[in-house]
Amino acid sequence: MSDDYRIRLQLRCRGTVQGVGFRPAIHRIATNLGLGGWVINDPQGATMEIEGPAGVINDFLDCLPAELPPLARLEKIEQESLEPLGEEGFEVRSSTLGRREGALVPPDAVLCDDCRQEMEDPEDRRFHYPFTTCTNCGPRFSLVRSLPYDRERTSMGCFPLCSECNREYTDPSDRRFHAEPVACPQCGPRLWLADEKGEPLDGGDPLVAARDELLAGRIVAVKGLGGFQLACRADSSEAVERLRRRKKRFGKPFAVMVRDLETAKVTVDLDAAAENLLKSPRAPIILAPRLDGSSVAPEVAPGLDDLGVMLPTTPLHVELLRDPLMPPLVMTSGNLSEEPLRRGNREALEGLAGIADSFLLHDRDVVRRLDDSVVRTSPRGPALVRRARGWVPEPLPLPVSAPGVIVATGGHLQVTACVAQDGQAFLSQHVGDLDSVPAREFLGEVIDGLLDFLQVEPAMIVADAHPDYPSSWLARDLGVRFGAEVVVVQHHLAHTAAVLAEHGFFPGDSERCLGIALDGTGWGPDATAWGGEWLSLGGDLEWDRLAYLEPLPLVGGEAAVREPWRVAVAALERQGEGELIASTPMASQIEEARLRAMIQLAADPSWPMASGAGRVFEAAGALLGVGEVNRWEGEAAARLEALAARASDGLDPWPGFEIEAREEKLLIPSSKLLVEVAKRAADGEDATSVAAGFHATFCRLSADLTERVSEGERGVVALGGGCVVNRILSKSLAEYLEELGFEVLLPRNVPPGDGGLSYGQAVLAAVAAARGVEPRRVDVGTSNVKRCT
Ligand SMILES: [Zn+2]
Ligand SMILES: [Zn+2]
Ligand SMILES: [Zn+2]
């Protein structure tokens, strides 16, 4: 049959095809080829019908993948032949409303080069306009109220287009054709600067005034893309300290925003992969080793070698850093301590009064709160630490198709939620720690938002096995509200499942694989705090705890998590080496009377025990004098890593350490490792070299332990848990394991710590449901059951 035989096809496109300029791209390609037909957004994605000579339609299909706009992601095309109608000309039709069944909205994307050029052009009507956007860039998820993604269902719905914008919006050949947030100074959102009482400060351009405030060293609350941020000069110790005092955030590092890539490159050590990410539409905060000579004050990230750096992400931020004299700016979440981001103008004025000196406000609503994402560089490739702007709501893979909708509620710290449906898991944006009531409400808001967004109701709710986490209470409430089954999943099993599933891997029904979870704290079935676990997980979800880190006493319970020096004292005391403490750097930081009291308390055998790797690393940090108290989660461990990173020797494992056996289980002798840290420090060995030796020995022992428990098998090992963020630990352990012949999977697109927990929970629940496994074998039965294995 000849190629000019006329045919008509219907193509149903699935994936991220709404809000990314997909329809205009189709229109352009079809029109250039002289094809007839139409394209429309629908609840599943986009559908088109094209008609023309068969050969030309083949050309169309061939060039489609390469010619799609940058933010589009085509997952699947379903194709059907129709009778030709003789249609000439191609049109873009408006959306059909209906139940959402797969259409995705893309994540928010950083300002594109074309828009940026317009902002630089004095002749352009968007010269310096801080809400410039087009189909290739700008806010998406943060301003969508519901689907399908059309302007009236976003927070731009209340800004009627002016005639110029309307022309761009309706012209299929324009870059702004159906760019839903399109706006200009005539018709779009407006900016103003207000004082701390919310009174507008008049007099000229609010951006100029805001820049003057910042240059003068004052703190400005900025209404950003996904909520408020607090900004101040990062080169002023005084301004940074003032922000810390007012925000009640002590010690925890801030991220900085720099004007351009050149400044980023002289501020931190960026490898090629990190640089590409920084330049990409995702544009996260990159955590990388800080370079000497940058203007950033040490108070921004005290005691750490890494610094978080980002580029201006929105046109508003571009304007804020426009002045060539503008130094790097601290850009941190606009909240009090660990509460969620403030979102509305009034909410910000109330909540941030007393922190910010002035407020840069505008009249476009933030529909969904969204923090900046954080990625850490590593010799094994950049890895996500916090997943939010630029990634959410992009789905993650599930190893099976979930038979019903699953909601997973995460743990207690750095919480995210996850909604799984069919073969996809939608991991929510970072919610944070659940210590405050507003944070717990935010978790509920995020789950409701995802369910509403996907237009689904859950059949199964998953919680952490810890009986007293607020996320577990929420799971119970959701179970009642939706009449859904509630199951609980062991914490470190969820970490393991998250790493496996992210890599598209999960053991088949009769297979098993290994997981190592090096973590802070997670509830173990024996009611102790687990956190250094060698697990074997089967495709049938049968699992075993093969080995673990020697549990250490938490003297004073929870207080020992905040004060690692207590763990260090107890570990040494139990080895009969308590007298060493007086000669360690730690001794100069703790009052002698408190030390003596702790030595006595440590003798009590009834303290709760914890096998968390985080506890051991923090205790080592405490002994070396870099973190007797954690002002933020994991501080002492992070500072220990910073010490090790500076070491020029001590890079080899210490001799004389071996795997031990206790009650028929193998374990790593944590307390002996800590005694060695104390001895070497007392002998005057350089702290950087002790820190490096500690890392090397821990990794060597961990690899040896893995070899022992694997009994000659060499398969996949998933490495998860919060400690894997430590780049020395993850690199060195992975290398030792690979030398032994294991295939190592490390977290990449899912945070290794509790930010990825809900994803792992959803994965396990989906596998259980799809393979007909009893929830009891996942771990425990329904939520009110306290314990069993
Ligand atoms: Zn653009
Ligand atoms: Zn306009
Ligand atoms: Zn964890």
Side-chain angles (χ1 to χ4, degrees):
M1 198 175 293
S2 102
D3 267 4
D4 49 14
Y5 178 73
R6 199 170 172 86
I7 61 168
R8 187 176 180 94
L9 291 182
Q10 186 182 72
L11 303 171
R12 294 181 292 275
C13 302
R14 308 292 172 252
T16 307
V17 293
Q18 295 187 8
V20 291
F22 182 78
R23 288 177 300 164
I26 297 297
H27 178 273
R28 194 189 63 243
I29 308 168
T31 308
N32 286 347
L33 292 171
L35 295 171
W38 48 262
V39 59
I40 192 169
N41 278 348
D42 61 28
Q44 297 86 30
T47 295
M48 68 183 99
E49 290 188 11
I50 45 166
E51 181 172 335
V56 183
I57 289 200
N58 279 337
D59 291 346
F60 173 88
L61 292 173
D62 286 347
C63 71
L64 193 57
E67 300 226 352
L68 287 180
L71 301 180
R73 226 164 43 102
L74 196 52
E75 286 175 359
K76 192 166 74 173
I77 301 184
E78 293 160 8
Q79 189 173 320
E80 195 181 325
S81 289
L82 303 173
E83 275 301 308
L85 302 173
E87 195 172 1
E88 306 279 343
F90 197 90
E91 65 171 12
V92 174
R93 296 189 176 168
S94 52
S95 307
T96 52
L97 273 174
R99 218 179 123 78
R100 178 237 170 243
E101 288 163 34
L104 303 175
V105 165
D108 303 71
V110 82
L111 181 71
C112 75
D113 290 343
D114 290 336
C115 285
R116 183 143 187 174
Q117 260 168 29
E118 290 172 349
M119 289 173 64
E120 307 297 329
D121 178 2
E123 301 300 309
D124 195 280
R125 63 198 193 89
R126 291 190 177 87
F127 182 54
H128 290 188
Y129 182 55
F131 301 95
T132 303
T133 175
C134 74
T135 43
N136 298 327
C137 74
R140 297 289 185 274
F141 181 68
S142 63
L143 55 64
V144 177
R145 296 189 201 280
S146 61
L147 289 176
Y149 175 60
D150 276 323
R151 188 177 177 93
E152 65 262 33
R153 283 175 289 277
T154 73
S155 60
M156 289 301 291
C158 57
F159 297 96
L161 292 170
C162 70
S163 59
E164 253 312 87
C165 287
N166 192 52
R167 189 194 55 73
E168 296 167 335
Y169 184 82
T170 49
D171 175 1
S173 66
D174 196 280
R175 197 173 93 248
R176 294 198 166 86
F177 179 67
H178 276 273
E180 308 305 343
V182 68
C184 78
Q186 281 298 313
C187 64
R190 268 156 228 280
L191 201 64
W192 68 95
L193 190 70
D195 67 13
E196 58 216 326
K197 296 191 185 67
E199 295 296 324
L201 293 166
D202 44 35
D205 184 341
L207 283 165
V208 175
R211 289 197 292 259
D212 286 346
E213 286 276 292
L214 289 167
L215 283 169
R218 288 155 66 84
I219 298 168
V220 180
V222 179
K223 189 178 191 180
L225 189 81
F228 275 80
Q229 294 166 310
L230 290 161
C232 74
R233 301 179 69 119
D235 63 341
S236 158
S237 300
E238 195 274 324
V240 175
E241 286 292 2
R242 186 151 29 90
L243 177 58
R244 288 200 176 281
R245 272 196 315 277
R246 291 188 187 173
K247 198 169 141 69
K248 297 187 173 54
R249 172 167 160 146
F250 302 106
K252 192 171 182 182
F254 287 130
V256 300
M257 186 178 275
V258 298
R259 294 189 73 222
D260 47 33
L261 190 61
E262 279 58 47
T263 317
K265 281 173 159 174
V266 297
T267 308
V268 291
D269 183 11
L270 288 177
D271 55 32
E275 184 181 327
N276 284 336
L277 258 179
L278 200 57
K279 290 190 294 194
S280 76
R282 301 190 197 270
I285 294 169
I286 301 278
L287 270 175
R290 188 185 158 151
L291 295 174
D292 290 339
S294 93
S295 62
V296 175
E299 289 79 3
V300 170
L304 300 178
D305 281 9
D306 267 29
L307 184 65
V309 167
M310 67 176 140
L311 296 178
T313 45
T314 72
L316 177 58
H317 292 101
V318 167
E319 289 304 322
L320 270 183
L321 283 110
R322 176 169 292 286
D323 191 329
L325 294 177
M326 189 63 77
L329 295 177
V330 165
M331 198 60 76
T332 185
S333 315
N335 55 9
L336 249 180
S337 196
E338 293 299 329
E339 291 188 359
L341 285 184
R342 298 281 163 158
R343 180 171 61 176
N345 290 350
R346 197 168 305 151
E347 192 184 275
L349 285 164
E350 283 167 15
L352 304 179
I355 302 181
D357 298 304
S358 55
F359 291 78
L360 190 57
L361 304 174
H362 59 72
D363 51 3
R364 184 177 77 194
D365 287 346
V366 174
V367 176
R368 290 162 211 272
R369 287 175 232 261
L370 205 57
D371 274 288
D372 293 308
S373 294
V374 182
V375 168
R376 193 169 194 209
T377 61
S378 141
R380 308 201 40 119
L384 265 177
V385 177
R386 183 167 80 189
R387 193 178 185 274
R389 176 185 53 75
W391 271 268
V392 178
E394 210 172 83
L396 290 160
L398 280 183
V400 293
S401 183
V405 174
I406 295 164
V407 171
T409 58
H412 185 67
L413 299 175
Q414 300 172 32
V415 171
T416 59
C418 186
V419 176
Q421 182 195 21
D422 302 327
Q424 294 182 315
F426 295 86
L427 184 57
S428 81
Q429 68 268 46
H430 168 81
V431 170
D433 301 350
L434 297 189
D435 290 322
S436 70
V437 172
R440 294 169 197 176
E441 288 170 354
F442 181 28
L443 179 61
E445 177 188 312
V446 154
I447 292 172
D448 284 348
L450 273 178
L451 290 173
D452 186 47
F453 193 58
L454 299 167
Q455 294 276 295
V456 292
E457 286 199 357
M460 192 190 267
I461 316 287
V462 202
D464 189 85
H466 196 296
D468 293 325
Y469 280 169
S471 57
S472 306
W473 310 336
L474 176 67
R476 240 163 277 176
D477 292 349
L478 289 169
V480 172
R481 189 171 126 205
F482 292 104
E485 182 183 15
V486 182
V487 298
V488 301
V489 163
Q490 201 280 324
H491 190 98
H492 302 104
L493 212 55
H495 277 313
T496 301
V499 181
L500 291 171
E502 164 191 353
H503 290 276
F505 186 89
F506 205 86
D509 247 337
S510 58
E511 295 167 346
R512 300 188 79 74
C513 75
L514 275 178
I516 306 176
L518 300 174
D519 202 29
T521 301
W523 181 263
D526 57 359
T528 71
W530 287 16
E533 311 305 320
W534 274 251
L535 304 171
S536 152
L537 172 64
D540 55 1
L541 301 185
E542 285 283 1
W543 66 280
D544 278 322
R545 186 192 203 196
L546 301 173
Y548 47 95
L549 300 186
E550 175 197 352
L552 298 174
L554 298 176
V555 184
E558 274 296 301
V561 177
R562 285 190 304 276
E563 299 182 18
W565 70 277
R566 292 167 178 258
V567 177
V569 168
L572 265 59
E573 187 54 26
R574 295 219 166 170
Q575 287 291 326
E577 300 277 7
E579 77 284 358
L580 267 176
I581 295 164
S583 321
T584 63
M586 186 173 86
S588 62
Q589 288 164 338
I590 312 282
E591 279 170 43
E592 210 189 318
R594 288 190 81 196
L595 270 178
R596 272 203 306 273
M598 196 58 57
I599 289 174
Q600 282 187 346
L601 280 172
D604 185 338
S606 64
W607 291 116
M609 303 298 282
S611 62
R615 300 291 88 77
V616 191
F617 277 72
E618 288 166 5
L623 285 167
L624 293 176
V626 293
E628 59 291 353
V629 175
N630 276 330
R631 291 171 297 177
W632 44 278
E633 195 206 357
E635 178 181 10
R639 295 184 69 174
L640 179 79
E641 184 195 347
L643 272 186
R646 275 175 244 155
S648 49
D649 52 12
L651 304 172
D652 291 324
W654 295 324
F657 280 88
E658 280 181 9
I659 301 300
E660 296 188 355
R662 191 179 295 176
E663 289 163 7
E664 295 176 16
K665 293 279 185 197
L666 296 174
L667 48 79
I668 288 181
S670 307
S671 54
K672 285 185 186 159
L673 276 171
L674 292 171
V675 167
E676 185 72 12
V677 169
K679 274 189 180 150
R680 287 173 178 257
D683 286 349
E685 184 174 328
D686 188 66
T688 61
S689 143
V690 182
F694 173 82
H695 276 79
T697 314
F698 182 91
C699 292
R700 181 73 257 170
L701 285 169
S702 297
D704 291 348
L705 182 57
T706 313
E707 188 183 28
R708 292 271 292 273
V709 298
S710 67
E711 294 173 344
E713 299 277 325
R714 287 292 183 274
V716 163
V717 182
L719 217 55
C723 300
V724 172
V725 137
N726 179 326
R727 61 164 85 86
I728 300 176
L729 169 69
S730 55
K731 172 180 185 276
S732 158
L733 178 52
E735 283 174 359
Y736 282 137
L737 288 169
E738 282 163 354
E739 275 167 25
L740 291 168
F742 291 100
E743 185 190 339
V744 180
L745 301 180
L746 280 165
R748 279 279 155 271
N749 290 312
V750 177
D754 288 2
L757 195 69
S758 63
Y759 172 54
Q761 293 171 337
V763 166
L764 286 168
V767 172
R771 295 186 181 164
V773 178
E774 285 283 305
R776 192 163 294 273
R777 279 163 67 190
V778 178
D779 183 14
V780 204
T782 51
S783 68
N784 290 319
V785 182
K786 277 262 163 83
R787 202 53 283 148
C788 85
T789 312

